[in-house]
Amino acid sequence: MSNLSNPQPIEVHKVALESVSDASGLADLIDKGLIEADRVIAVIGKTEGNGGVNDYTRIIADRAFREVLEARGTRPMDEIKQIPIVWSGGTDGVISPHATIFATTDADKVPATDEPRLSVGYAMSEQIFPEDIGRLPMVEKVAAGVKIAMERAGITDPADVHYVQTKTPLLTLETITDAKRRGKDVWTEDTLKSMDVSNSTTALGVALALGEIEMPKTEQIHKDLSLFSSVASCSSGVELDQAQIVVLGNVRGVGGRFRIGHSVMKDALDADGVWESIRSAGLDDLPERPHTSDLRGRVVNVFCKCEADPTGRVRDRRNIMLDDSDVHWHRQIKSCVGGVVASVTGDPAVFVSVAAVHQGPSGGGPVIAIVEPDAG
């Protein structure tokens, strides 16, 4: 792993998932010599499950990818299990299952440049207990982990951080019972609600670490929507009891082919926010009113969070997502934003995740682009 004094260049590749357990894209990258199994440091992907508490496609995909890293590398599984592999379930609408793979590489294999280039650091937080979710101890544990990941990426200025992807635990009947057995209470006993709360608490930890906010008060968590991070993308699941934290930003002198930038979508239809993230990443030659063809294959992927606007309106038009008892709003807003983002990139394999409280402005969310400026 890179450290503060000597971060390593990063290779980024996006691969398709042709089935829930398909890790052949990762295997092909390794077999072709494009990356080394022992140098994979993070994976961020979308699986085709329901995106809910019982979305076990995340566990299946996780196992498949770690088994490839074990079979084609030399690291023991205990070490491989520490690699953050962040799966967001639910590929509603046109969103296509895929994974974005990050690996270090040797400096002599990539272009040398003093321009800012992508650097990645990761960390695992202290254990997050069921009673921490929705409360200040979780905020503090996440913030501490973000700072460690920044250091590992060689990033000293929070302004150079453009994306913090996390995966944190949510509440299940088993963990709620465990807390009660130990004399503790939990923020909510609604397990699906706990997904939203876990994400929002984590986002405040990211914002705190990056100086976007001061330490929040307990009563502000998941309630004061004026508090948010512009770079946090937080997911949660049943497969872990720590925060997996991946910090991505730009570092001068690290070299490499890739660069990252970010913006925010102000609402679910804000395609301009997506374009702004791509410009922020370094594609500053785009025309004032760009078209997908202007990208010329230079966008590796776009990552964003979304949320149904709590007012029940978008651009002053009423919608019924929050009143729909047939299809949960998680799935509806994810499908909508996925279509908007894919219409910009021209590629349905985009990372769109829901439950975005404290992640970008209310009703919108952060949007991050990784590009290869000199490609195409």
Side-chain angles (χ1 to χ4, degrees), residues 51-53 58 170-171 190-200 235-237 330 354-355:
V53 174
R58 297 181 297 230
L170 48 73
L171 293 170
D190 181 334
T191 56
L192 184 58
K193 179 73 172 178
S194 78
M195 176 184 294
D196 294 10
V197 176
S198 179
N199 291 355
S200 61
S235 294
S236 51
H330 276 193
V354 77

Side-chain angles (χ1 to χ4, degrees), residues 119-328:
S119 186
V120 179
Y122 69 85
M124 301 289 284
S125 77
E126 294 181 28
Q127 182 178 358
I128 295 173
F129 297 99
E131 60 269 23
D132 294 340
I133 295 172
R135 293 169 177 154
L136 291 180
M138 185 174 182
V139 174
E140 294 168 340
K141 290 176 181 180
V142 170
V146 170
K147 291 179 179 179
I148 293 170
M150 281 180 62
E151 183 176 352
R152 289 175 171 171
I155 299 172
T156 56
D157 186 350
D160 291 327
V161 175
H162 293 279
Y163 183 20
V164 181
Q165 178 65 56
T166 66
K167 189 77 175 189
T168 51
L170 48 73
L171 293 170
T172 65
L173 180 59
E174 181 181 359
T175 58
I176 293 169
T177 301
D178 171 66
K180 289 180 177 179
R181 188 183 303 119
R182 292 182 289 105
K184 307 293 184 179
D185 67 346
V186 293
W187 197 93
T188 179
E189 295 192 17
D190 181 334
T191 56
L192 184 58
K193 179 73 172 178
S194 78
M195 176 184 294
D196 294 10
V197 176
S198 179
N199 291 355
S200 61
T201 312
T202 303
L204 291 178
V206 174
L208 178 65
L210 299 181
E212 296 177 284
I213 63 169
E214 301 294 329
M215 174 63 79
K217 298 176 182 177
T218 298
E219 59 268 23
Q220 291 177 296
I221 297 175
H222 205 71
K223 291 185 172 64
D224 185 348
L225 302 183
S226 70
L227 303 179
F228 64 84
S229 171
S230 295
V231 298
S233 174
C234 306
S235 294
S236 51
V238 298
E239 62 268 32
L240 73 175
D241 63 1
Q242 298 169 278
Q244 290 182 343
I245 301 164
V246 186
V247 169
L248 301 93
N250 292 317
V251 173
R252 289 187 181 274
V254 69
R257 300 184 292 129
F258 303 94
R259 185 165 168 168
I260 189 169
H262 80 277
S263 185
V264 295
M265 294 179 72
K266 297 180 178 67
D267 61 31
L269 300 178
D270 187 15
D272 288 343
V274 183
W275 283 112
E276 182 55 37
S277 74
I278 294 170
R279 287 192 173 93
S280 167
L283 301 193
D284 50 13
D285 61 349
L286 296 174
E288 182 179 354
R289 297 184 65 81
H291 181 267
T292 302
S293 59
D294 297 314
L295 297 175
R296 305 198 308 276
R298 294 176 292 172
V299 173
V300 179
N301 206 359
V302 170
F303 307 80
C304 67
K305 292 292 294 188
C306 58
E307 184 84 5
D309 194 305
T311 68
R313 291 180 175 267
V314 173
R315 303 198 181 182
D316 206 31
R317 293 290 193 182
R318 183 175 70 93
N319 63 72
I320 52 86
M321 282 188 284
L322 296 174
D323 288 326
D324 194 333
S325 299
D326 297 314
V327 181
H328 196 276

